[in-house]
Amino acid sequence: MKKAFIVGAVGSGKTTLKNQLIDLESIVHKFDPVEVYNHLIDSPGEFLENRRMYAALNVTANNSDIVILLQSVTDTFSVFPNGFTKMFTKPVVGIASKIDLSKTDSDIERAHDFLHNAGVSDIFDISSIDLTVETNQLTEFANFLNDDLILNIVNE
């Protein structure tokens, strides 16, 4: 598995995604520092929401193989500035999280727009809670992390 650095706002589903990928019971530690478990690095949402912490995001990203930006479909705003991905030297993918909570398709489209504006090309739609959602790409995303598909993004 590639070492993945998960970045997103407070409450976007970073820890829930991490727990689902590593089959861990859902334990959320708010206000913890960067947490590393297996090959997943879970960043505090406060790091993204406070621009003075961008250096910490950048340094931590350098210790990973790939950066994952999480945007909840329930948020009507983005905490990612336009072109945010340019600060990273690693490949970046996006996740529209909490798709089971979207009220309309436009909620998912809005999350995609936010991620595209941040500079993300490849986006997975994921629900870490309701695995029965028809459009859930959690399995595809887990396979992506375990596969050399990441190299395709680097070589594009």
Side-chain angles (χ1 to χ4, degrees):
M1 178 181 259
K2 304 292 187 240
K3 185 179 275 188
F5 179 44
I6 307 170
V7 180
V10 172
S12 63
K14 298 177 304 296
T15 302
T16 304
L17 173 65
K18 176 202 70 169
N19 290 343
Q20 189 67 27
L21 288 171
I22 59 176
D23 200 26
L24 192 67
E25 285 187 33
S26 188
I27 302 168
V28 177
H29 304 282
K30 290 294 181 187
F31 308 110
D32 276 353
V34 173
E35 185 179 45
V36 179
Y37 197 91
N38 290 346
H39 290 87
L40 298 172
I41 305 169
D42 186 1
S43 68
E46 292 82 8
F47 279 24
L48 177 62
E49 296 172 8
N50 184 341
R51 289 182 187 234
R52 290 180 292 171
M53 298 303 294
Y54 279 14
L57 289 175
N58 203 349
V59 167
T60 306
N62 285 330
N63 291 315
S64 68
D65 297 313
I66 189 163
V67 177
I68 304 163
L69 300 188
L70 249 76
Q71 175 68 51
S72 171
V73 301
T74 61
D75 289 340
T76 57
F77 60 92
S78 175
V79 291
F80 301 113
N82 288 345
F84 181 73
T85 61
K86 292 179 183 175
M87 74 181 273
F88 300 113
T89 59
K90 305 294 181 171
V92 180
V93 297
I95 290 181
S97 64
K98 301 184 179 185
I99 61 168
D100 53 309
L101 300 179
S102 65
K103 294 183 171 95
T104 66
D105 287 342
S106 64
D107 292 342
I108 296 172
E109 291 170 17
R110 181 182 58 238
H112 282 218
D113 288 343
F114 290 152
L115 290 165
H116 286 304
N117 289 341
V120 173
S121 307
D122 298 316
I123 300 173
F124 294 88
D125 295 333
I126 290 181
S127 169
S128 298
I129 301 295
D130 187 353
L131 302 179
T132 64
V133 174
E134 186 176 319
T135 57
N136 194 357
Q137 295 178 314
L138 182 62
T139 301
E140 290 88 342
F141 181 69
N143 291 338
F144 171 81
L145 288 180
N146 285 312
D147 201 354
D148 288 330
L149 293 173
I150 293 172
L151 297 176
N152 293 336
I153 294 174
V154 176
N155 295 326
E156 286 180 353

